[in-house]
């Protein structure tokens, strides 16, 4: 559904079409976003997903509202991880973060949907990079970020 997407991000950093030529912003109306994600998953026949959220009320809300939408559309959630903010100092992951990522990578999930605020997401992406180097494992998953992470960068009109 192209009507729920825009070629221009609301975040100026992501508006650089040279660095991010294939980036599309999904409308922040969460029910529309959830159905857009379901349609994307169904289109590519990805029926096993993993969910990574922030370990807070927003993460709980995401799990409670999105998981039933997935289930109603015959998409199975294989793994749910609540990500606690942490910084990989000197490119070394904590044992907890390492085990979280290993669980996700070894899961049946073809796609991992990540939801959280911008700081948590940036930290998580840095952790993924460190994990890939430490574990010498290809992540082998499709990673999707929800639009919730932009809430701290801009205000919706």
């Amino acid at each position: 559904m192209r009507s729920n997407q825009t070629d221009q991000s609301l975040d100026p950093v992501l508006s650089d079409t040279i660095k991010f030529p294939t980036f599309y912003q999904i409308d922040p109306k969460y029910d529309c976003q959830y159905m857009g994600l379901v349609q994307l998953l169904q289109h590519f026949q990805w029926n096993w997903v993993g969910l990574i959220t922030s370990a807070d009320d927003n993460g709980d809300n995401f799990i409670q509202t999105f998981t039933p939408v997935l289930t109603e559309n015959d998409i199975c959630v294989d793994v749910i991880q609540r990500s606690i903010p942490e910084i990989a100092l000197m490119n070394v992951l904590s044992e907890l973060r390492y085990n979280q990522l290993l669980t996700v990578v070894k899961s049946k999930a073809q796609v991992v949907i990540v939801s959280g605020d911008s700081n948590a997401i940036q930290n998580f992406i840095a952790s993924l990079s460190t994990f890939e180097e430490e574990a010498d494992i290809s992540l082998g998953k499709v990673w999707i970020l929800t639009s919730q992470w932009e809430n701290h960068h801009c205000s919706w009109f």
Side-chain angles (χ1 to χ4, degrees), residues 82-89 92-101 119-128 130 134:
R82 289 187 166 81
S83 181
I84 299 167
E86 66 176 46
I87 297 173
L89 298 175
V92 176
L93 296 176
S94 72
E95 185 176 347
L96 173 63
R97 179 58 59 92
Y98 183 90
N99 288 333
Q100 283 180 328
L101 293 172
N119 291 331
I121 297 299
Q122 289 171 352
N123 184 297
F124 183 76
I125 291 171
S127 294
L128 279 176
T130 302
E134 278 187 23

Side-chain angles (χ1 to χ4, degrees), residues 11-23:
D11 185 340
V13 173
L14 296 174
S15 295
D16 184 339
T17 57
I18 294 172
K19 288 183 183 176
F20 305 104
T22 60
F23 180 81

Side-chain angles (χ1 to χ4, degrees), residues 56-102:
D56 58 16
D57 290 342
N58 291 333
D60 292 342
N61 185 52
F62 174 74
I63 297 294
Q64 290 171 0
T65 57
F66 190 45
T67 302
V69 173
L70 293 169
T71 303
E72 290 168 8
N73 288 280
D74 298 323
I75 298 170
C76 302
V77 178
D78 186 47
V79 62
I80 296 173
Q81 292 287 330
R82 289 187 166 81
S83 181
I84 299 167
E86 66 176 46
I87 297 173
L89 298 175
M90 299 175 66
N91 293 334
V92 176
L93 296 176
S94 72
E95 185 176 347
L96 173 63
R97 179 58 59 92
Y98 183 90
N99 288 333
Q100 283 180 328
L101 293 172
L102 189 60

Side-chain angles (χ1 to χ4, degrees), residues 17-52:
T17 57
I18 294 172
K19 288 183 183 176
F20 305 104
T22 60
F23 180 81
Y24 293 100
Q25 169 69 33
I26 296 177
D27 189 328
K29 295 177 188 164
Y30 300 130
D31 55 339
C32 292
Q33 179 181 189
Y34 295 161
M35 288 314 300
L37 287 170
V38 166
Q39 288 176 356
L40 179 71
L41 295 170
Q42 290 175 330
H43 176 78
F44 288 103
Q45 299 178 350
W46 294 324
N47 55 357
W48 285 97
V49 300
L51 302 176
I52 297 177

